[in-house]
């Protein structure tokens, strides 16, 4: 179930395997959104798991088993199949290109909520609400909190310069599978998309290339950006770079808060090992000129000596 309350079990049968998803409604899990997005993605020709049975009241789904060939397992932690890295990332970028080329009314399901500024801000505030207190030993002042919140509306306005589309939100190696028996972008299996929203196209590019859980060589990141931009000659590369940096900073602030919350509230310490990487990614984002106000706020409220891994409460 990773960072969620969902659990999964494999079911073996004469006609092949299935996966049972247990998503408890009492824990605010909603199978309805998973079903709706899965069927929408399938309608677009993508390899989301087929949904065979739904018990929404109790939070159960019976799903197609797409196997265990996630990008994470194939690539490993520096010891996986290095020869597969380029084709796998090419495939993942090509799926985003295919999705982002579609008209908005085709790419986005009807009535899908928007990725609003309020939603972006609520996520970014997780840094202030969870990570900062864990490192400072106290809650931030109302003035510091307000100053952080006021940074974001103008930044998000710049980030929306890229076109709007379906944003899967957690488009990274843990949630992508290689399905070599399927054609084209169908060879990229998709998981964990139930929180999809309508938002900036650059967001999922950031999710893939600014991965909190895996180091990616800068040359690979740049090659994938070039591949993506080549598919959209009308897209201003500078505007895309701004959106990429801003959305990356917002996402990394969110992730620092989430990983801290998972540790301090839920007892899931496994995510702490990724925090140094998340800081490296955030500091790369902060090199963008537009992010100078956020860089200044962090220098005052979370100076470099405090950019560490949270410890358990004493």
């Amino acid at each position: 179930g990773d960072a969620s309350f969902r659990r999964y079990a494999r079911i073996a049968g004469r006609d092949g395997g299935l996966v049972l998803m247990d998503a408890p409604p009492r824990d605010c899990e909603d199978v309805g959104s998973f079903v709706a997005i899965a069927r929408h993605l399938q309608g677009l020709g993508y390899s989301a798991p087929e949904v065979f049975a739904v018990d929404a009241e109790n939070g159960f789904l019976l799903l197609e088993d797409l196997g265990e060939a996630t990008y994470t397992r194939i690539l490993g932690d520096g010891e996986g199949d290095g020869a597969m890295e380029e084709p796998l990332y090419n495939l993942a970028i090509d799926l985003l290109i295919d999705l982002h080329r579609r008209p908005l009314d085709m790419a986005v399901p009807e009535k899908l909520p928007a990725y609003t500024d309020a939603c972006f801000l609520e996520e970014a505030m997780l840094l202030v609400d969870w990570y900062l207190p864990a490192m400072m030993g106290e809650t931030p002042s109302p003035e510091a909190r307000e100053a952080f919140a006021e940074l974001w509306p103008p930044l998000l306005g710049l980030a929306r310069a890229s076109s709007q589309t379906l944003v899967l939100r957690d488009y990274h190696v843990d949630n992508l599978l290689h399905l070599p028996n399927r054609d084209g972008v169908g060879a990229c299996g998709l998981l964990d998309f139930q929180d999809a929203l309508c938002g900036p196209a650059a967001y999922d590019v950031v999710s893939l290339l600014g991965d909190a859980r895996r180091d990616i060589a800068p040359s690979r990141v740049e090659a994938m950006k070039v591949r993506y931009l080549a598919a959209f000659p009308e897209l201003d590369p500078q505007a895309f770079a701004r959106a990429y940096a801003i959305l990356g900073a917002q996402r990394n602030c969110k992730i620092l808060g989430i990983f801290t919350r998972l540790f301090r509230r839920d007892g899931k310490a496994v995510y702490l090992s990724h925090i140094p990487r998340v800081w490296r990614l955030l500091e790369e984002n902060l090199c963008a000129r537009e992010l100078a106000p956020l860089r200044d706020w962090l220098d005052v409220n979370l100076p470099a000596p405090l950019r560490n891994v949270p410890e358990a409460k004493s």
Side-chain angles (χ1 to χ4, degrees), residues 28-304:
C28 300
E29 297 289 343
D30 175 19
V31 298
S33 58
F34 183 96
V35 173
I37 299 299
R39 289 176 174 164
H40 176 74
L41 291 170
Q42 290 165 2
L44 296 177
Y46 305 137
S47 292
E50 186 173 350
V51 180
F52 295 114
V54 180
D55 177 357
E57 182 178 355
N58 295 298
F60 292 115
L61 296 179
L62 200 59
L63 304 171
E64 175 187 12
D65 187 351
L66 294 179
E68 295 189 0
T70 65
Y71 278 31
T72 300
R73 286 193 172 96
I74 295 170
L75 298 173
D77 186 14
E79 298 178 359
D81 188 348
M84 286 296 294
E85 184 178 63
E86 181 176 6
L88 288 179
Y89 276 97
N90 284 347
L91 177 61
I93 283 288
D94 288 349
L95 190 150
L96 291 180
I97 290 170
D98 185 89
L99 174 61
H100 297 171
R101 278 176 167 163
R102 296 172 185 261
L104 187 63
D105 59 354
M106 179 186 295
V108 177
E110 188 177 1
K111 298 181 180 179
L112 187 75
Y115 212 155
T116 62
D117 282 7
C119 184
F120 276 120
L121 179 59
E122 181 180 1
E123 293 175 347
M125 293 301 293
L126 292 171
L127 175 96
V128 178
D129 294 337
W130 285 94
Y131 182 82
L132 192 150
M135 302 309 301
M136 297 286 292
E138 59 186 24
T139 57
S141 69
E143 293 78 13
R145 201 172 190 281
E146 182 178 357
F148 183 81
E150 289 177 349
L151 294 171
W152 289 100
L155 292 174
L156 294 171
L158 292 172
R160 293 190 186 280
S162 62
S163 61
Q164 302 293 293
T165 188
L166 178 66
V167 176
L168 300 178
R169 298 181 74 188
D170 282 309
Y171 191 79
H172 56 70
V173 291
D174 284 356
N175 297 327
L176 303 175
L177 300 102
H178 188 217
L179 308 174
N181 294 328
R182 302 193 183 188
D183 296 330
V185 294
C188 185
L190 301 172
L191 302 173
D192 197 12
F193 41 70
Q194 63 281 338
D195 296 325
L197 295 170
C198 178
Y203 189 91
D204 281 341
V205 183
V206 172
S207 298
L208 178 67
L209 302 179
D211 195 333
R213 308 185 194 206
R214 183 174 190 271
D215 291 324
I216 308 172
S219 58
R220 178 76 62 216
V221 172
E222 290 308 309
M224 294 301 100
K225 289 180 184 178
V226 168
R227 187 180 185 91
Y228 181 83
L229 287 168
F232 300 99
E234 73 284 0
L235 182 58
D236 179 356
Q238 291 184 333
F240 175 81
R242 282 194 299 269
Y244 186 97
I246 292 166
L247 295 172
Q250 185 274 343
R251 182 172 172 82
N252 288 317
C253 287
K254 173 182 75 170
I255 291 171
L256 287 168
I258 288 175
F259 284 178
T260 304
R261 183 176 66 187
L262 285 166
F263 173 52
R264 300 291 288 268
R265 187 191 70 183
D266 302 332
K268 296 182 177 181
V270 64
Y271 301 98
L272 296 182
S273 65
H274 302 306
I275 282 182
R277 178 183 300 108
V278 179
W279 267 115
R280 289 197 301 272
L281 291 168
L282 177 53
E283 287 167 355
E284 289 174 12
N285 301 142
L286 294 174
C287 293
R289 176 177 55 83
E290 293 78 9
L291 284 163
L294 176 59
R295 183 170 62 248
D296 293 343
W297 187 95
L298 289 168
D299 286 343
V300 170
N301 295 279
L302 274 170

